[in-house]
Amino acid sequence: MKIATWNINSIRARADRALGVLERHDLDVLALQEIKCKPEQFPVELFEERGYEVAAHGHNQWNGVAIVSRIGLDAVRTVFDGQPGFTKGEPANGELFIGGEPEARAIGARVDASKLGEIEIWSLYVPNGRAIDDPHYHYKLAWLGALKDYAARRLAEDPQAKIALVGDWNVIPTDADVWDVTGTGGLYLTEAERAAFFAFEEAGFVEVSREYATNYTFWDYQRLRFPKNEGMRIDFVYASPALASHVTGAEIDRDERKGKGASDHVPVIVTLS
């Protein structure tokens, strides 16, 4: 089977591209980020006509996440345990940003992978951080920390659970994952952001796309970044040990960045056997 993650940057503007990716890669599950619409605005019928179910979570033209599946969608959740909302200001006494309603940045569901059994998959749109001196940066770290705690608890409860944490992580894990380490203003690659990303390994998860694929996953629309291949790798697939053991391949669909109307991200596809 194949699962993929993709920051589509507006599902209503790129529904045809999403359908093309599903068909071209013969996907069983596609996790989307930045759908930029409310659930009732998602073009569900286009996907249902092709045998897919859709679970979507969004509030307005910002953020928003979805899961598209042809192997079922059960136990849909639109927030993970402990997910913080965004509260302006710096954290006091190390406390998380728990004020306010959580943004539409996470959606989870169970899918039935036949012989592999049930997989708990989360489509995740990690906060950008905006700038190192911005309150949103502290929110980003708190958000990642809360997600890691949730993931660690799930593994502690069931070490054999098959869990996939997929999406736009807005972190550049290594210097090799960006065309120029000085080109981001420092954001995405601070020591704290990288530590928050690699904390999932410490919790027992495995990033399963890097072994098989080495391309960037994002190129800004400005300054001819894509033709110059000045990109970043910020989209990843973290799998629990029981799921990672079934991964047999992965690819980054760089060609999806080509042509008129492309998203600034491309799909990351993982094959399970």
Side-chain angles (χ1 to χ4, degrees), residues 69-227:
S69 171
R70 66 180 180 188
I71 54 174
L73 281 173
D74 190 26
V76 175
R77 299 177 59 191
T78 57
V79 63
F80 57 82
D81 295 346
Q83 181 178 334
F86 176 50
T87 301
K88 292 183 179 180
E90 295 189 3
N93 302 318
E95 295 179 358
L96 295 180
F97 288 81
I98 57 175
E101 188 75 14
E103 297 177 301
R105 293 183 175 275
I107 186 168
R110 292 201 300 262
V111 299
D112 185 0
S114 186
K115 292 182 180 180
L116 288 179
E118 280 191 342
I119 297 174
E120 177 185 337
I121 184 167
W122 285 89
S123 179
L124 305 164
Y125 180 40
V126 176
N128 174 280
R130 299 178 184 171
I132 297 173
D133 58 353
D134 192 287
H136 208 259
Y137 174 80
H138 300 290
Y139 165 56
K140 176 182 188 174
L141 297 178
W143 202 96
L144 282 166
L147 176 63
K148 185 268 296 180
D149 290 345
Y150 168 75
R153 286 196 300 272
R154 286 288 294 113
L155 272 189
E157 294 165 357
D158 182 4
Q160 298 306 311
K162 296 181 176 69
I163 304 169
L165 307 174
V166 311
D168 177 357
W169 292 76
N170 271 316
V171 177
I172 300 171
T174 74
D175 289 356
D177 294 321
V178 61
W179 88 98
D180 181 0
V181 293
T182 67
T184 69
L187 191 64
Y188 311 118
L189 39 66
T190 63
E191 182 177 343
E193 289 169 293
R194 287 177 169 179
F197 181 84
F198 287 114
F200 289 83
E201 290 186 0
E202 298 169 7
F205 283 73
V206 181
E207 203 296 305
V208 294
S209 70
R210 186 179 295 279
E211 179 181 353
Y212 303 95
T214 58
N215 291 334
Y216 298 137
T217 63
F218 167 87
W219 297 262
D220 197 289
Y221 289 126
Q222 301 178 23
R223 301 180 184 178
L224 298 174
R225 293 297 192 207
F226 182 63

Side-chain angles (χ1 to χ4, degrees), residues 229-243:
N229 198 31
E230 295 177 347
M232 303 188 296
R233 186 172 188 167
I234 54 177
D235 302 85
F236 297 95
V237 176
Y238 261 122
S240 63
L243 183 61

Side-chain angles (χ1 to χ4, degrees), residues 1-6 18 20-31 52 68-71 251 267-270:
M1 67 168 292
K2 289 184 178 181
I3 63 174
T5 179
W6 185 18
V21 165
L22 288 169
E23 181 178 357
R24 187 165 67 251
H25 294 286
D26 192 24
L27 297 180
D28 295 286
V29 182
L30 174 61
Y52 289 88
V68 179
S69 171
R70 66 180 180 188
I71 54 174
E251 62 180 300
V268 178
I269 302 107
V270 170

Side-chain angles (χ1 to χ4, degrees), residues 25-69:
H25 294 286
D26 192 24
L27 297 180
D28 295 286
V29 182
L30 174 61
L32 297 170
Q33 301 85 44
E34 278 204 275
I35 61 171
K36 296 184 176 180
C37 69
K38 298 177 181 179
E40 59 268 25
Q41 297 172 315
F42 196 105
V44 173
E45 63 283 352
L46 296 178
F47 296 86
E48 290 180 339
E49 290 171 358
R50 290 161 174 81
Y52 289 88
E53 297 178 65
V54 176
H57 177 42
H59 298 310
N60 47 38
Q61 71 271 30
W62 305 109
N63 305 330
V65 284
I67 300 174
V68 179
S69 171

